Amino acid sequence: MHHPLLEIKNVSYSVPGISRQILSQINYKIYPEDFVILLGSNGSGKSSLLKTLDRRTEATSGDILLNNKKIAHYSQKEFASLVITLTQNTTESLFPSLTVLENCLLALERLKDKTLLKQQNPKQFFSTHLKQFNTNLAHHLSTPVSVLSGGEQQALVLALSMLHPPKLLLLDEHVSALDPSAAEYLLTFTAKIIAAYKITCLLTTHNLNTALRFGNRLLALNNGNISREFNEKEKKTLTQEDLLKLYLPSHII
Amino acid sequence: MFTAILSQLFPLLPLALAVYISFFILRATDLTLDGSFVLGAAVFAKMLELNYTPTIAGITALLAGTLSGTGVALIQRKQKIDSLLAGILATFVLLSVNLLIMGRPNISLLTKVTLLSNGINASELDINILSGAYSSILCLGVCLILVTRYGLLLRAFGDNANLLHRLGKNVETHRICGFALTNSLAAASGCLTAQTIGYADIGMGFGLTLTALGAVILGQQILQKFSPKQLLHGMQAFSVCLVGVAFYLLATNGLLRLNLSPIYLKMILGLILIMFLRTANLCRKKGFYASSTT
């Protein structure tokens, strides 16, 4: 058995002053190169769970271990090189008024090893890198990011995070703001990249189709609790109907 | 009129650059610059009075500005207090600090050997050339910093401080560096102004940040009209400030020439500023700022 990359131990989260428990007693282990689908309806706690995982919020109780070390014990620099989150809001992950090239240069700040910063020809290097993600981007190095289309921005965010592939990639419905064809393209592409770079990934979605097609494990979240877990074998035999049952609030079924 | 404008232009240039950096790069409404301007003048005047050499006095004035910038950045630490409020609070505190430093509301420098004059019989031309040299060297130096990797980090801080934090950078360090830089520029401005007009006065900074902001916005509008090509970022900052301050001074001196009663001066300037700020806002909606900061 491998050693888990990420271990979630009894994690609960609630907002002070509000009685509702947003996450209650979550326990889960994610192993290297897992691609876990986190399925849940709006308000099920998907995004809150991701936020506690990438330290945007702090769990009220419980521990989160990354490589057997509590995430709170990592320095910001170390943590930044290990974990990246992509959300549907690209302005969170980019410097909107800076150019594509400047965003690339800043993305390198995440690196511990600064050799990449001393590129002989940064423009050449970045345009080759960006070409793999979106051919348009390579021609727009001096364009301000805010002028790019939503699809291009999301592709750029992905490209920037792969300048130095993280150990753990958290995808918080990162394609849900895009039109269906762009979303489909980017999602397939993301899956390819994850496989190519051997990145461990956690993807949240409320789309059953996405949940079936991607990932090797599935986790269903309902009202802040894990309602079902499926391992690799079980997930392969899942059908849309099975998932639909999970999805509906329990009182309807 | 031309020499009058020149003698006001160069001392104000560092302040304009400070305003440019804090409003358009750090994206903070930093009113502390008013207080730091006086602080620079006060420290310089006091140091001369204590018989230090002008060079040491000038350097101390710059350091004092750095300190006040650090102070105001610390007040805002972790976004606990809004930058506007922090600036007002800091200016409030600086009023006492400046009085404490000077010991009285004003100190005359007319008979002193300063960085710009050797005492009583200095020619106005010499003063202007020297103040032009000091202020240009200082501003160009800062503009050079803006095009380096460090300048890029400062712009990144203003654009998306949260992301900078997630990239593993210490946001507070950049906040402190940015504010220390702008406030030491303001102090330099105060220091040069005191030497040009011949005294340091507790009320000399009043409303200057807003005035400089008006000038910078004016400069930006003019440059955008007449030079469609994007200049290198650092050069753009410098030329925007230079053009803006020059046009602003032309306007004020012109108004005074029209025999306008000084009672109306601030009101009319205020109205002109409102006009500039409103047109700037229109441009912001059209995405002007998005392209101007590249």
Side-chain angles (χ1 to χ4, degrees), chain B residues 41-170:
Chain B
V43 168
F44 183 78
K46 188 68 189 179
M47 290 290 281
L48 283 195
E49 206 174 54
L50 295 174
N51 289 326
Y52 286 96
T53 63
T55 322
I56 291 179
I59 292 170
T60 322
L62 283 183
L63 287 179
T66 315
L67 267 182
S68 79
T70 309
V72 75
L74 288 175
I75 296 176
Q76 294 167 58
R77 214 167 82 84
K78 308 235 156 118
Q79 236 103 52
K80 291 237 163 89
I81 294 179
D82 174 71
S83 74
L84 178 63
L85 200 56
I88 294 171
L89 285 170
T91 316
F92 197 65
V93 174
L94 277 176
L95 197 64
S96 289
V97 173
N98 291 336
L99 269 176
L100 273 175
I101 290 171
M102 292 206 286
R104 57 181 186 277
N106 53 55
I107 296 176
S108 168
L109 295 174
L110 282 174
T111 53
K112 293 274 195 307
V113 176
T114 67
L115 286 169
L116 306 184
S117 81
N118 50 1
I120 309 146
N121 50 5
S123 81
E124 203 173 334
L125 187 68
D126 282 352
I127 291 185
N128 284 342
I129 290 174
L130 275 173
S131 97
Y134 279 119
S135 121
S136 310
I137 289 171
L138 189 67
C139 290
L140 284 172
V142 171
C143 288
L144 277 181
I145 295 178
L146 289 183
V147 292
T148 60
R149 169 171 164 259
Y150 175 69
L152 180 61
L153 283 170
L154 270 191
R155 283 190 288 146
F157 166 80
D159 208 26
N160 190 346
N162 283 331
L163 179 56
L164 199 64
H165 171 70
R166 277 191 281 137
L167 288 173
K169 294 272 142 189
N170 188 338

